[in-house]
């Protein structure tokens, strides 16, 4: 073999290894990256800089994506700190409360260092020996946490989107196998596929419709079921919908229960839904992406009673488990259902491995190369303990309840939901209601542009509402009180000056 040229030798030193040069470069790079993060946090007094897309485009246009030669890492990271980080939403800021977007736990950030440096790939055992076994142990613990028996199993996923997709995929394939003796994996969709139906509440997550579309059933397959006044799926309405479907000779295959709807945090009555699913031979999938973490809390766990009856469960850790994105899991009551997606590649996970008892997690996943995200959850569970997570959850739900009480006590604010989780939906009510949608939208935009607060908005019927998602344990009732005053003040000003017109 020829000698390495000087530049390629330099590039070889750019990899992590046990050579002295490599270790020094690694330590230096990680320390620089940490310093950039620390500087960024130190500068953030607001949840967002307020820059709009045009301004950001200009800021970023100055740098070539791939220069011809090399550059100093330190300079690059500093550039990123100034341009990207300084124009990022500050998830740890107490008034960054728009979405299910959490501040990450420090132990999980430390684990990320190990995950990326060791770069295990979770598809086959020979690419992640100990990591495979730890993921499996964490999965076994999760199955227990959700009240599953020994026959259960699961897999880490990128999040709720993937977990919901897997649940409905297995639901479709079990139904067609059992009723039509049809293998979708082998034969594709049968001619009758357009008759299959999935039921979920009218406020379930859009990924349920997305999954139906991707599964070749079309969004038409998802029947939205009416909710009660607390935005929970109404069992009476469900029974009624089912009767109608049977009458139209359609084929209901699955029922989706939601634990924590995105807008209201409402939790469907799982035990009742489980019974209806069982009586009708439906696969019962629970989308607990948001609210699954309530299983950690003595005070709130009871809200999920019945989840142990679900055929499958989606749970996210990058929401109420405070993990950096991405981290989620799909849990399955009867592990043999994974057979519907099992594939064996001779190079990766040959059938002989199964016989030899070598666990290749790829047989349970729709991803191939996959990160060892189970590790960061494990490190966080170890560090905080069950009680630590329970405290975080209890605190944020208490704050949501207090927030709802504050809103309820103000005559020019209208509360929509009494929180079961930590989402609070409300609106500013101007004296003249004809401009109320524009005023509420403008309040949100102004707070974002001023970098004062990052809120969400949502639509109920024809009306625009504001939403707080109180995930951050560092947000206090004083932050909320101040923010509500600002909202009232802005609303009042907009009413007086009529400035809402200018932007719409
Ligand atoms: C967040 C969420 C999803 C989507 O999950 P991702 O992790 O973003 O893929 C699905 N359902 C519910 C209820 C959610 O809250």
């Amino acid at each position: 073999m020829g000698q390495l040229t000087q530049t390629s030798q330099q590039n070889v030193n750019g990899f992590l290894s046990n050579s002295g040069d490599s270790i020094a470069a690694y330590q230096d790079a990680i320390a620089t990256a940490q310093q950039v993060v620390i500087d960024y946090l130190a500068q953030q007094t607001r949840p967002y800089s307020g820059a709009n897309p045009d301004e950001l485009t200009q800021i970023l246009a100055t740098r070539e994506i791939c220069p011809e030669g090399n550059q100093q890492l330190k300079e690059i990271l500093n550039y990123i700190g100034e341009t990207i980080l300084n124009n990022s939403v500050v998830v740890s800021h107490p008034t960054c409360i728009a979405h299910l977007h959490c501040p990450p736990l420090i132990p999980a950030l430390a684990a990320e260092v190990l995950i990326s440096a060791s770069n295990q790939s979770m598809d086959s055992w020979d690419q992640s020996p100990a990591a495979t076994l730890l993921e499996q142990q964490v999965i076994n613990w999760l199955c227990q946490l959700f009240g599953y028996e020994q026959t259960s199993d699961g897999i880490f996923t990128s999040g709720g989107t993937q977990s919901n997709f897997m649940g409905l995929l297995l639901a479709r394939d079990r139904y067609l196998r059992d009723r039509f003796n049809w293998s979708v994996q082998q034969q594709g969709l049968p001619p009758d596929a357009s008759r299959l139906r999935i039921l979920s509440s009218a406020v379930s997550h859009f990924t349920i419709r997305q999954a139906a579309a991707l599964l070749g059933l079309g969004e038409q397959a998802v029947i939205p079921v009416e909710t009660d006044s607390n935005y929970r799926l109404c069992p009476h309405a469900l029974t009624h919908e089912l009767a109608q479907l049977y009458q139209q000779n359609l084929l209901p295959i699955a029922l989706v229960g939601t634990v924590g709807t995105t807008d209201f945090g409402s939790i469907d009555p799982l035990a009742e839904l489980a019974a209806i699913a069982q009586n009708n031979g439906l696969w019962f999938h629970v989308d607990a992406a948001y609210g699954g973490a309530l299983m950690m809390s003595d005070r709130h766990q009871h809200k999920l009673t019945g989840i142990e009856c679900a055929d499958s469960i989606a749970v996210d850790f990058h929401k109420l488990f405070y993990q950096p994105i991405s981290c989620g899991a799909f849990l399955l009551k009867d592990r043999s259902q994974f057979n519907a997606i099992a594939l064996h590649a001779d190079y990766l996970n040959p059938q002989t491995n199964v016989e030899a008892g070598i666990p290749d997690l790829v047989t349970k996943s729709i991803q191939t190369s996959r990160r060892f995200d189970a590790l960061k959850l494990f490190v966080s569970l170890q560090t905080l303990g069950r009680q630590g997570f329970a405290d975080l959850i209890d605190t944020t739900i208490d704050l949501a309840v207090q927030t709802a009480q504050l809103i309820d006590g103000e005559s020019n604010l209208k509360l929509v939901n009494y929180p079961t989780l930590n989402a609070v939906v409300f609106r500013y009510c101007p004296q003249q209601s004809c401009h109320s949608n524009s005023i509420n939208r403008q309040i949100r935009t102004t707070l974002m542009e001023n970098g004062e607060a990052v809120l969400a908005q949502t639509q109920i019927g024809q009306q625009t509402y504001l939403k707080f998602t109180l995930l951050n344990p560092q947000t206090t009732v004083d932050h909320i009180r101040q923010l509500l005053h600002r909202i009232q003040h802005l609303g009042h000003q907009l009413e007086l000056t009529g400035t809402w017109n200018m932007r719409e």
Side-chain angles (χ1 to χ4, degrees), residues 100 157-164 203-208 210 258-262 287-291 314-319 325-328:
L100 289 165
T157 63
S158 62
T161 307
Q162 191 183 347
S163 302
N164 285 338
V203 290
S204 67
H205 199 262
F206 76 87
T207 51
I208 303 302
Q210 180 197 43
T258 308
V259 172
T261 57
T262 310
D287 178 0
Y290 176 9
V315 54
D316 267 358
F317 307 112
H318 53 222
K319 292 173 180 166
I325 297 165
S326 69
C327 197

Side-chain angles (χ1 to χ4, degrees), residues 4 89 107 136 206 268 352 462:
L4 288 173
V89 293
Q136 189 63 53
F206 76 87
D268 288 339
T352 48
Q462 298 300 312

Side-chain angles (χ1 to χ4, degrees), residues 167-460:
L168 294 175
L169 168 72
L170 297 184
R172 178 196 68 180
D173 292 4
R174 181 183 76 174
Y175 184 88
L176 291 172
R177 188 188 62 228
D178 292 357
R179 295 291 183 91
F180 292 89
N181 192 25
W182 184 279
S183 162
V184 182
Q185 200 182 27
Q186 293 302 318
Q187 299 166 274
L189 289 175
D192 270 336
S194 64
R195 289 165 60 209
L196 304 185
R197 291 294 179 272
I198 295 160
L199 297 110
S200 75
S201 101
V203 290
S204 67
H205 199 262
F206 76 87
T207 51
I208 303 302
R209 275 179 292 131
Q210 180 197 43
L214 294 174
L215 290 168
L217 309 178
E219 289 187 27
Q220 57 124 28
V222 179
I223 306 293
V225 183
E226 248 178 63
T227 54
D228 64 17
S229 57
N230 291 315
Y231 301 96
R232 298 177 306 181
L233 193 151
C234 174
H236 281 300
L238 173 63
T239 318
H240 180 73
E241 288 290 353
L242 278 168
Q244 286 208 318
L245 293 178
Y246 292 128
Q247 209 167 40
Q248 297 162 42
N249 208 19
L250 295 170
L251 309 173
I253 60 167
L255 171 63
V256 177
T258 308
V259 172
T261 57
T262 310
D263 274 345
F264 311 104
S266 47
I267 299 175
D268 288 339
L270 300 181
E272 281 174 85
L273 299 195
I276 296 173
Q278 167 129 45
N279 290 339
N280 289 272
L282 307 177
W283 183 286
F284 184 35
H285 174 74
V286 174
D287 178 0
Y290 176 9
L294 263 54
M295 293 306 288
M296 301 292 273
S297 160
D298 293 326
R299 276 174 53 199
H300 298 286
Q301 191 185 71
H302 68 92
K303 295 175 179 170
L304 275 59
T305 301
I307 200 166
E308 68 285 356
C309 303
D311 291 291
S312 54
I313 300 170
V315 54
D316 267 358
F317 307 112
H318 53 222
K319 292 173 180 166
L320 270 186
F321 279 90
Y322 301 99
Q323 298 301 298
I325 297 165
S326 69
C327 197
F330 174 71
L331 305 177
L332 187 57
K333 183 162 72 177
D334 167 12
R335 71 160 68 90
S336 71
Q337 300 299 329
F338 269 130
N339 291 339
I341 56 165
L343 282 169
H344 290 281
D346 290 335
Y347 83 92
L348 193 63
N349 61 330
Q351 185 68 43
T352 48
N353 275 7
V354 178
E355 285 137 29
I358 294 173
D360 293 316
L361 297 184
V362 70
T363 49
K364 301 188 283 184
S365 181
I366 57 172
Q367 281 174 274
T368 307
S369 303
R370 193 162 56 83
R371 282 168 53 88
F372 183 24
D373 288 314
L375 184 66
K376 60 198 185 198
L377 179 63
F378 174 73
V379 172
S380 305
L381 293 169
Q382 290 281 308
T383 311
L384 276 74
R386 210 265 315 156
Q387 190 63 55
F389 275 97
D391 286 347
L392 290 177
I393 288 153
D394 294 354
T395 309
T396 58
I397 297 179
D398 286 348
L399 177 64
V401 169
Q402 286 174 291
T403 301
Q405 287 164 349
L406 286 177
I407 292 170
D408 219 16
E410 298 293 322
S411 58
N412 57 0
L413 298 178
K414 179 171 179 265
L415 178 71
V416 172
N417 67 324
Y418 192 81
T420 21
L421 259 158
N422 29 34
V424 185
V425 182
F426 67 101
R427 71 195 316 233
Y428 175 76
C429 304
Q431 314 253 303
Q432 287 185 320
S433 60
C434 53
H435 298 299
S436 61
N437 283 352
S438 338
I439 290 180
N440 277 282
R441 276 199 289 273
Q442 189 59 42
I443 291 173
R444 175 177 172 271
T445 315
T446 307
L447 288 170
M448 178 90 179
E449 283 175 353
N450 292 348
E452 288 180 83
V454 184
L455 311 186
Q457 74 182 33
T458 188
Q459 198 74 17
I460 307 174

